[in-house]
Amino acid sequence: MKAGNAILVILAAANRDPSANPNPERFDVFRTERRIFTFGVGVHACPGEALATAIAKAGVERLIASGIALERLAETMTYRASANARIPIFEER
């Protein structure tokens, strides 16, 4: 990656099944006995899971530390039309 490159993080509703994980709406990277399928399972498990999770956690922490009013972002968010992904669009007011 180079400075200025865009990073697309799609959170959508991945792994929000309450029968697989209690309180699925709570973001918790240290959840015990978590059942997620985003990074594959068994022999098909992604070797980059730990790194990807650490990058996402650092990004969220930085966003929160920046002081941006997260609730205001949600007020102006819409989604780009797409058949296979929920791509958020944030419009500044």
Side-chain angles (χ1 to χ4, degrees):
M1 292 185 57
K2 298 177 184 173
N5 284 3
I7 298 173
L8 174 62
V9 177
I10 301 175
L11 301 177
N15 300 302
R16 291 182 56 98
D17 182 352
S19 66
N21 295 295
N23 301 313
E25 68 285 346
R26 185 173 48 97
F27 179 71
D28 183 0
V29 295
F30 301 110
R31 184 184 303 270
T32 58
E33 299 181 33
R34 67 189 169 111
R35 294 182 60 209
I36 66 165
F37 311 103
T38 305
F39 294 100
V41 181
V43 296
H44 299 286
C46 175
E49 177 181 2
L51 179 59
T53 302
I55 291 169
K57 180 177 181 278
V60 170
E61 288 173 344
R62 178 70 177 117
L63 181 64
I64 291 169
S66 74
I68 292 175
L70 299 177
E71 55 281 346
R72 290 206 52 214
L73 287 177
E75 290 172 359
T76 62
M77 184 182 72
T78 58
Y79 289 98
R80 179 177 296 162
S82 174
N84 63 354
R86 292 183 69 203
I87 303 171
I89 301 171
F90 298 99
E91 297 177 15
E92 195 169 331
R93 288 185 181 178

